[in-house]
Every structure is written in C-alpha cells, then in structure tokens.
C-alpha cells in the first residue's frame, strides 16, 4: 500500500493534518511560547485595560487600547504559526549519491591481494556564485552537495536552504521560507512588549493621580507593576534579537556551511550561525547587494514554493534511500540496489586496473 511522504520521512520532524503542517522535533516548546504570550495579555486585558476603560469613561481611547491589544496579539500568534508550521526550506534527500561526482582512490585494496580503485565522493566541490568560487560540502545523510548557504540541522536532521538557526522557542528551523515571518514575529513581539509596558505605566500614572502617591497606586494595581517588570525583562530578549537580525538583514547575512576559496574581506551576507562560527575568518562579499536591496530581498521577494509535497503519495522504490555512505561503499539501502552499485563500481575499478597494467606492459 502506497504511503504518503510524511509517513516515510527520514528527518525528525513532526507532522499534523496529513503532512500539511510540519514542525520540528521540539514542537512541544511552542506551548511555553504560547503561554509566555497569552498569559500576560489576558492579565493585561482583564486588569489594566479594564482600569483604563474606567479612567477614560465616555472616551473611545479605552476601547481602542483593548482592541489594539487583542488584534495585535492575534497577529503575533499568526506569525508564530507561520514560522513554526511551515517548511523552512528543506532540501529533499537523494535516493542515490551523485555518481557523476565519483572519483577513484587506488590506495584502498579489495579482492585478494589486488590494488583496485575504490569509488569515493569528494567531501567538497567548488561552485561559482556571482563570479566567486565557493566551496560546498557533501552531506552524507542527505547524499547531496549542499547548495550555497545551506546547512544540515542536527536537531531536525535535514539540510535547510539559507539556514539561520534552529529556534527552540518556535520549535522549527529558521531558513529561506520562514525567515521573514520569524523576523516579523520577534519584531511584533517587541512592539507588543513596549505597548503593554507603556499602557501599564499609564495605568499607574492615572492611579497615582487618584490616590495621591505611587505607593498607593502600586498597592491598588500590583499586576500593572508585574507586567511592567515582565515586559522590561523580555524586551531585552526579543528587542535585542530584533536589533541583531536588523543588522543581519542590513548586511545581508545568512547561515551556510559553504566556505569561499578566496580569503578577502568578510562575507557580508551571513546568518546567526555564520556570524558566530566564522567570526575572524576572512571571506569575500559574495552575496551583499547593498542595504536597501538586502531589505528588499527579505521583505519584498516572493517566497519560493516548498521542494517537498509531504501530503503526496510516494512509490515503494522512493522510500528505500539510505541514510549515509561509508568509505567502502554505500550502506543502509533496503532494496539491495546500493549493493549492486558497489559491485558495478568494483568491476569498473578492475577494468581500469587491467587497462593500466596493459599499458605498462606495452611500454616495457
């Protein structure tokens, strides 16, 4: 019986609605994130906003504060869902290694006392990006050469295009297809923190005018102070993260494992991972298009469709691909095709050896 792709997926992702929504293996952390957002908003609406309605009775401002809080919170939650439940840009795994990239290592011996070239894949290869040679790595797990700026996430066990980092707060990788929604999520959360902090302070001000002293105002509405402290603490986190990603976008930096061959100035298009992994390493400006175009690329470019249709059915032979490759050949195949592949490569190696020996005999 044919199965859907999400049912035989080799990564560590979790799926719901028959593969229509994809999460990381740590998706349970979303519950904590939701509580950190929803609980303070409920406290604000049931206490602070209600007090502000009383202070501004007969004025639409009190209702506007309540409506803005509710609508903006829903907007933040939708951005969280778009970030955590979307394919971040997973590169599909190969069923077989790229045989056109095979090279032969004559140092390995197989068969009885014979030196035979053994097929191997180079660990890296060079590609040209904007006229600059870039070295990309071969991923043993996915059996492919990663595209430039792609990296393998050890948490989800997938190669992700323009991989920035794996965020435990959203339970998903941040990559090419969800980076925009991730940035909008953290920036909107920052604005929501500032708004709640400001409105709570305004409530304390109104109560101070009514009761005469700040201390009496705090005793009358202690939750306003709690919300101010809470928002102040989390503002350092989400606000600092927003500023950091503004810097990354402005300098067009996104994560990848590719290393450029040239050793000129630092590449000005890195992700969070690149910034910490390659600090102090000299690399050329391969991707930087200027600050304005860098922002346009993130916010105005069309999001590419997913390379994977997790809801689609897959054929039986499409599910037998391996998890990796070792130095002697290929392992992990379920249908035996990989073993036949190794035998063919050995026969080719033997033929090459015979040709080499024949030429040596002719020269002698």
């Amino acid at each position: 019986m044919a199965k859907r792709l999400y049912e035989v997926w080799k990564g560590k992702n979790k799926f719901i609605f028959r593969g229509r929504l994809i999460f990381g293996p740590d998706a349970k952390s979303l519950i904590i994130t939701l509580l950190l957002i929803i609980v303070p908003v409920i406290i604000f609406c049931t206490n602070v906003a209600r007090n502000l309605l009383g202070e501004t009775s007969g004025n639409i401002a009190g209702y506007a504060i309540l409506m803005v809080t509710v609508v903006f919170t829903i907007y933040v939650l939708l951005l969280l869902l778009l970030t955590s439940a979307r394919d971040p840009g997973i590169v599909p795994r190969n069923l077989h290694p790229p045989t056109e990239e095979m090279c032969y290592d004559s140092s390995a011996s197989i068969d009885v006392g014979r030196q035979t070239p053994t097929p191997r894949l180079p660990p890296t290869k060079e590609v040209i990006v904007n006229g600059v040679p870039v070295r990309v790595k071969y991923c043993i797990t996915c059996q492919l050469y990663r595209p430039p700026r792609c990296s393998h996430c050890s948490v989800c066990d997938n190669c992700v295009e323009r991989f920035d980092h794996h965020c435990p707060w959203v339970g998903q990788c941040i990559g090419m297809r969800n980076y925009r929604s991730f940035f909008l999520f953290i920036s909107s959360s920052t604005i929501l923190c500032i708004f709640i902090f400001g409105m709570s302070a305004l409530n304390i001000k109104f109560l101070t005018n009514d009761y005469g002293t700040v201390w009496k105002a705090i005793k009358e509405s202690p939750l306003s102070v709690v919300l101010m402290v809470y928002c102040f603490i989390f503002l350092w986190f989400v606000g600092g993260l927003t500023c950091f990603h503004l810097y990354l976008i402005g300098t067009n930096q996104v994560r990848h494992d590719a290393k450029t061959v040239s050793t000129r100035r630092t590449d000005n298009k890195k992700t969070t991972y690149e910034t910490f992994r390659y600090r102090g390493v000299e690399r050329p400006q391969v991707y930087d298009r200027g600050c304005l175009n860098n922002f346009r690329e993130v916010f105005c470019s069309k999001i590419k469709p997913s390379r994977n249709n997790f809801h689609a059915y897959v054929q039986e032979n499409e599910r037998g691909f391996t998890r990796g490759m070792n130095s002697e050949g290929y392992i992990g195949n379920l249908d035996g095709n990989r073993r036949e592949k190794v035998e063919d490569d050995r026969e080719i190696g033997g033929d090459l050896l015979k040709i080499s020996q024949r030429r040596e005999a002719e020269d002698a």
Side-chain angles (χ1 to χ4, degrees):
M1 181 179 178
K3 293 186 177 181
R4 300 184 188 272
L5 179 59
Y6 78 92
E7 295 178 305
V8 296
W9 187 248
K10 298 297 183 179
K12 299 177 182 178
N13 303 88
K14 296 180 180 180
F15 300 88
I16 61 174
F17 300 126
R18 294 189 175 184
R20 291 181 174 87
L21 298 181
I22 175 174
F23 298 88
D26 51 350
K28 291 182 180 180
S29 61
L30 271 173
I31 299 175
I32 299 176
T33 305
L34 288 171
L35 291 176
L36 290 174
I37 296 172
I38 295 175
V39 171
V41 170
I42 293 176
I43 294 174
F44 176 82
C45 292
T46 56
N47 292 272
V48 178
R50 188 177 63 180
N51 292 338
L52 291 174
L53 279 174
E55 293 290 342
T56 58
S57 57
N59 193 332
I60 197 174
Y63 293 98
I65 292 172
L66 185 60
M67 289 300 299
V68 167
T69 304
V70 173
V71 172
F72 203 74
T73 301
I74 294 174
Y75 172 68
V76 170
L77 295 177
L78 286 176
L79 289 173
L80 176 60
L81 178 64
L82 285 174
T83 303
S84 60
R86 172 185 287 176
D87 176 2
I90 297 173
V91 180
R93 302 188 183 197
N94 275 341
L95 299 180
H96 305 288
T99 54
E100 67 275 6
E101 304 290 344
M102 285 289 184
C103 62
Y104 290 89
D105 184 1
S106 60
S107 62
S109 60
I110 56 176
D111 296 333
V112 181
R114 298 179 59 185
Q115 294 289 331
T116 305
T118 301
R120 296 176 183 272
L121 278 169
T124 62
K125 75 173 184 178
E126 291 181 9
V127 297
I128 303 300
V129 178
N130 295 332
V132 179
V134 174
R135 184 170 298 167
V136 295
K137 292 182 179 181
Y138 179 76
C139 179
I140 296 177
T141 303
C142 300
Q143 299 192 119
L144 52 81
Y145 284 99
R146 301 169 188 162
R149 320 200 74 193
C150 173
S151 185
H152 191 90
C153 175
S154 59
V155 179
C156 295
D157 199 22
N158 298 310
C159 278
V160 180
E161 290 188 89
R162 293 187 65 180
F163 181 71
D164 189 86
H165 68 289
H166 183 93
C167 181
W169 296 102
V170 302
Q172 183 62 283
C173 294
I174 307 302
M176 179 182 66
R177 300 189 67 252
N178 64 351
Y179 182 80
R180 181 188 304 173
S181 57
F182 170 75
F183 176 80
L184 292 175
F185 166 67
I186 59 174
S187 58
S188 300
S189 299
T190 301
I191 296 173
L192 184 61
C193 281
I194 295 173
F195 179 80
I196 293 179
F197 180 91
M199 293 301 101
S200 299
L202 181 63
N203 184 50
I204 292 294
K205 181 180 180 300
F206 284 146
L207 292 175
T208 301
N209 294 336
D210 294 339
Y211 291 93
T213 64
V214 176
W215 177 248
K216 290 182 179 180
I218 293 175
K219 290 178 65 177
E220 181 65 23
S221 180
L223 289 177
S224 295
V225 180
V226 172
L227 287 173
M228 290 175 64
V229 173
Y230 177 88
C231 291
F232 180 80
I233 293 174
F234 275 87
L235 186 59
W236 282 98
F237 173 69
V238 293
L241 196 60
T242 300
C243 294
F244 176 64
H245 279 277
L246 279 173
Y247 162 74
L248 292 182
I249 295 172
T251 54
N252 219 337
Q253 305 182 41
V254 280
R255 171 180 179 172
H256 65 81
D257 270 350
K259 296 181 181 179
T260 48
V261 177
S262 164
T263 56
R264 290 175 288 169
R265 193 163 165 253
T266 303
D267 178 7
N268 276 345
K269 192 176 182 182
K270 297 180 282 186
T271 55
T272 307
Y273 174 83
E274 289 176 329
T275 302
F276 290 102
R277 175 172 179 175
Y278 297 121
R279 53 185 173 183
V281 178
E282 298 272 327
R283 303 210 317 281
Q285 299 177 358
V286 180
Y287 306 95
D288 190 14
R289 300 179 181 180
C291 184
L292 182 60
N293 288 329
N294 292 339
F295 272 92
R296 285 178 178 174
E297 181 180 347
V298 173
F299 296 108
C300 301
S301 61
K302 184 179 179 180
I303 298 177
K304 294 182 180 180
S306 173
R307 294 189 180 192
N308 307 280
N309 185 1
F310 298 105
H311 184 67
Y313 288 100
V314 293
Q315 299 298 324
E316 186 69 26
N317 59 355
E318 293 179 358
R319 305 205 302 265
F321 56 88
T322 124
R323 293 292 298 250
M325 183 187 98
N326 61 9
S327 59
E328 295 295 330
Y330 311 113
I331 60 175
N333 189 18
L334 301 179
D335 57 10
N337 291 335
R338 195 62 51 81
R339 189 173 301 170
E340 295 175 4
K341 172 76 178 154
V342 174
E343 295 299 327
D344 292 341
D345 290 333
R346 287 180 175 176
E347 291 178 6
I348 293 173
D351 292 338
L352 292 174
L353 181 61
K354 291 178 182 179
I355 293 172
S356 177
Q357 291 173 346
R358 189 180 305 166
R359 288 183 177 177
E360 290 178 358
E362 291 176 355
D363 293 339

